[in-house]
């Protein structure tokens, strides 16, 4: 089991990234809440990881903090929750928001996540309630990044395409993803900022 990797962020293509560890490039899939906290390409980075081995693939998932990785592991232990749905939940809602949903048995936010209907949300909350009794929420560490100076049109288009692709990978329909990104009118936003604001608008 690969539990942690320390290296240099070589490539960032939401929701995937490549971490260069002594010349070996590890491809990881990360939730959007981890993506928001990544440094710039070329900077050092340490991620807590979880390896999923299937008959047709070996998939590596990365998380900025150990707490997020532990939360992911709790989710995929549930019946009917695979890594894709777990990442969608963690990308749409921060860990503490999810914990608050469990504590208050609130299905409204969960049902807005792709692939989660009312019955699924109710089942998830019931199954998670006992597991999360020991979990406590902490003050949110995710603040919106201040707007950057206006970027060239090509960079803006590339960021928009990356953001749309990331939303589609989370399970949103292409039309929904395009509409959500188009609704963000501010200039100079990175793909990560677009994804964050689009997801907040969808929830």
């Amino acid at each position: 089991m690969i539990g942690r990797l320390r290296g240099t962020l070589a490539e960032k293509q939401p929701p995937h990234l490549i971490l260069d560890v002594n010349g070996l490039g590890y491809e990881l899939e990360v939730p959007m809440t981890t993506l928001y906290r990544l440094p710039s390409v070329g900077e050092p980075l340490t991620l807590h990881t979880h390896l999923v081995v299937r008959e047709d693939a070996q998939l590596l998932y990365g998380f900025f903090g150990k707490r997020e990785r532990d939360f992911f592991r709790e989710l995929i232990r549930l019946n009917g929750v695979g890594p894709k749905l777990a990442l969608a939940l963690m990308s749409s809602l921060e860990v503490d928001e999810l914990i608050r949903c469990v504590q208050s048995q609130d299905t409204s936010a969960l049902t807005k996540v792709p692939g989660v209907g009312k019955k699924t949300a109710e089942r998830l909350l019931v199954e998670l309630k006992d597991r999360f009794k020991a979990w406590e929420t902490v003050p949110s560490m995710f603040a919106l990044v201040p707007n950057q100076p206006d970027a060239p049109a090509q960079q803006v288009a590339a960021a928009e395409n990356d953001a749309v692709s990331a939303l589609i990978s989370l399970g949103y329909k292409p039309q929904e993803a395009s509409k959500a990104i188009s609704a963000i009118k501010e200039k100079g936003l990175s793909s990560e900022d677009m994804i964050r604001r689009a997801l907040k608008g969808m929830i």
Side-chain angles (χ1 to χ4, degrees):
M1 178 68 74
I2 302 173
R4 188 180 67 176
L5 289 173
R6 178 183 297 157
T8 302
L9 181 59
E11 188 176 321
K12 187 164 46 173
Q13 186 75 28
H16 300 90
L17 60 86
I18 293 179
L19 187 65
D20 186 321
V21 181
N22 297 324
L24 183 61
Y26 288 88
E27 182 176 343
L28 302 97
E29 189 166 352
V30 300
M32 294 304 150
T33 45
T34 287
L35 186 81
Y36 304 148
R37 302 167 70 184
L38 294 179
S40 301
V41 171
E43 295 293 322
L45 174 65
T46 298
L47 290 176
H48 297 272
T49 60
H50 180 82
L51 178 65
V52 174
V53 179
R54 303 190 323 210
E55 290 184 1
D56 59 342
Q58 294 187 26
L59 305 173
L60 193 59
Y61 298 91
F63 306 89
F64 198 84
K66 185 176 180 291
R67 188 167 181 263
E68 286 78 13
R69 195 226 5 228
D70 292 345
F71 191 91
F72 175 81
R73 288 176 172 173
E74 289 285 358
L75 288 175
I76 61 175
R77 288 191 183 103
L78 301 178
N79 183 36
V81 178
K84 183 175 181 180
L85 179 55
L87 283 187
L89 286 165
M90 294 182 67
S91 293
S92 300
L93 296 165
E94 296 170 12
V95 169
D96 294 324
E97 290 174 326
L98 281 166
I99 293 173
R100 280 191 287 269
C101 285
V102 173
Q103 291 172 341
S104 61
Q105 293 293 286
D106 178 14
T107 62
S108 58
L110 295 186
T111 55
K112 295 179 181 178
V113 177
V116 180
K118 185 175 181 181
K119 288 185 178 179
T120 301
E122 291 173 347
R123 178 176 59 79
L124 289 176
L125 291 179
V126 169
E127 292 186 25
L128 287 171
K129 189 172 184 179
D130 290 335
R131 291 177 180 270
F132 285 177
K133 282 183 178 178
W135 287 64
E136 295 181 358
T137 58
V138 296
S140 176
M141 298 175 62
F142 302 102
L144 287 177
V145 177
N147 291 341
Q148 303 297 319
D150 289 356
Q154 288 183 338
Q155 291 182 12
V156 172
E160 289 177 353
N161 289 336
D162 286 348
V164 169
S165 296
L167 293 179
I168 293 173
S169 74
L170 292 176
Y172 289 98
K173 296 178 180 179
Q175 303 94 313
E176 293 175 331
S178 296
K179 184 178 179 181
I181 297 302
S182 297
I184 301 169
K185 302 296 184 183
E186 294 184 43
K187 297 180 180 179
L189 293 178
S190 66
S191 58
E192 292 90 341
D193 289 335
M194 291 182 188
I195 295 165
R196 183 206 304 268
R197 295 189 182 197
L199 285 172
K200 288 298 181 184
M202 290 174 166
I203 295 299

